[in-house]
């Protein structure tokens, strides 16, 4: 099973976003965190920046909406160029309807869960999604340390995906680095958001390749992948 590395521009230089996007050529997606200072205590960027960024790079955009009322705003980000849109289960008023609308507009539909939100209550709607994001830090700020207590949740999520025979990507975001990515992969993740580990490196593109190699080897040896 192929793994994917999605560098997070939250850790990039916001004054040089076009150049920073080019610095990670070879990445699978460019992860873009949208924060509104309401759902999370931070404010980042909005639709106009996403629109400009989509014109500046050939890497597809993986939008992570850490905002209130994603039911209203998600469609605008698809129109701005997003290829994948992640909304938070804790913020969406009608997650199934929203996921279907995202898909209908031509993007991949993804749902994110904060660390304290259990996966089990969302088991029935997993078939409506293309990806599920398990936050491995509290959302809102980059550079936080990885929460090891999320590893069992990643495993339970992978078990539910396998139980239903779904082709559902399982993404992790928060503290992913060379020292944590293998544990995430072994637990069941196959899509990895990395911010500081990529943009803090001397050669961001090389960091992407190294992380992909590490994750790929861990997935290949993981029992969940061998049984897939």
């Amino acid at each position: 099973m192929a793994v994917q590395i999605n560098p997070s521009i939250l850790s990039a230089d916001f004054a040089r976003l076009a150049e920073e996007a080019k610095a990670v050529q070879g990445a699978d997606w460019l992860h873009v965190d949208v924060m509104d200072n309401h759902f999370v205590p931070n404010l980042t960027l909005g639709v106009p920046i996403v629109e400009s960024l989509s014109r500046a790079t050939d890497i597809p955009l993986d939008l992570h909406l850490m905002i209130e009322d994603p039911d209203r705003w998600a469609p605008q980000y698809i129109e701005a160029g997003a290829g994948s849109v992640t909304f938070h289960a804790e913020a969406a008023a009608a997650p199934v309807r929203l996921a279907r609308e995202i898909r209908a507009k031509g993007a991949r539909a993804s749902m994110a869960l904060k660390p304290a939100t259990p996966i089990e209550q969302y088991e029935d709607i997993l078939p409506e999604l293309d990806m599920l994001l398990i936050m491995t830090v509290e959302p809102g700020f980059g550079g936080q340390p990885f929460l090891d207590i999320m590893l069992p949740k990643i495993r339970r999520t992978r078990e539910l995906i396998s139980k239903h025979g779904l082709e559902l990507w399982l993404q992790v975001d928060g503290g992913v680095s060379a020292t944590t990515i293998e544990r995430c992969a072994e637990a069941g993740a196959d899509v990895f958001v990395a911010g500081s580990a990529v943009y803090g490196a001397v050669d961001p593109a090389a960091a992407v390749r190294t992380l992909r190699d590490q994750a790929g080897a861990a997935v290949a040896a993981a029992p969940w992948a061998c049984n897939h």
Side-chain angles (χ1 to χ4, degrees):
M1 179 176 291
V3 301
Q4 300 180 66
I5 305 297
N6 301 8
S8 172
I9 64 164
L10 185 64
S11 296
D13 182 348
F14 273 32
R16 301 169 53 249
L17 287 184
E19 296 170 53
E20 295 284 62
K22 289 182 174 66
V24 292
Q25 285 299 326
D28 298 283
W29 296 77
L30 192 62
H31 190 81
V32 182
D33 289 308
V34 176
M35 307 183 194
D36 63 0
N37 200 33
H38 294 287
F39 181 70
V40 293
N42 197 2
L43 185 66
T44 55
L45 42 78
V47 171
I49 301 298
V50 171
E51 201 168 35
S52 296
L53 190 58
S54 72
R55 293 195 297 265
T57 180
D58 294 330
I59 303 173
L61 302 185
D62 170 30
L63 268 286
H64 180 187
L65 304 183
M66 288 175 269
I67 62 175
E68 292 181 349
D69 201 9
D71 305 72
R72 173 188 177 189
W73 292 106
Q76 294 188 37
Y77 284 98
I78 300 170
E79 293 167 7
S84 176
V85 176
T86 300
F87 59 87
H88 266 266
E90 304 88 356
V96 172
R97 183 175 64 198
L98 179 54
R100 290 181 178 180
E101 183 176 7
I102 291 170
R103 282 175 157 180
K105 287 185 175 293
R108 294 181 62 87
S110 172
M111 186 173 72
L113 303 179
K114 288 183 176 183
T117 303
I119 178 58
E120 288 76 11
Q121 67 194 67
Y122 296 102
E123 178 178 355
D124 291 343
I125 69 172
L126 292 181
E128 302 288 341
L129 303 171
D130 297 299
M131 182 170 73
L132 190 85
L133 166 55
I134 301 296
M135 292 298 300
T136 44
V137 298
E138 288 293 342
F141 294 93
Q144 297 183 65
F146 179 80
L147 295 175
D148 283 277
I149 56 172
M150 290 298 102
L151 291 172
K153 183 176 177 180
I154 297 170
R155 290 192 180 92
R156 293 196 304 273
T157 303
R158 175 54 65 184
E159 289 168 2
L160 290 177
I161 292 171
S162 299
K163 172 185 172 182
H164 293 282
L166 301 173
E167 294 296 326
L168 181 66
W169 296 350
L170 180 51
Q171 185 180 68
V172 289
D173 179 4
V176 175
S177 68
T179 60
T180 61
I181 195 167
E182 292 174 358
R183 279 177 279 163
C184 294
E186 187 279 331
D190 54 6
V191 183
F192 307 86
V193 177
S196 306
V198 170
Y199 280 112
V202 174
D203 185 340
V208 169
R209 292 193 295 270
T210 298
L211 290 171
R212 184 183 287 114
D213 289 344
Q214 283 187 275
V219 165
W224 67 265
C226 295
N227 297 328
H228 187 72

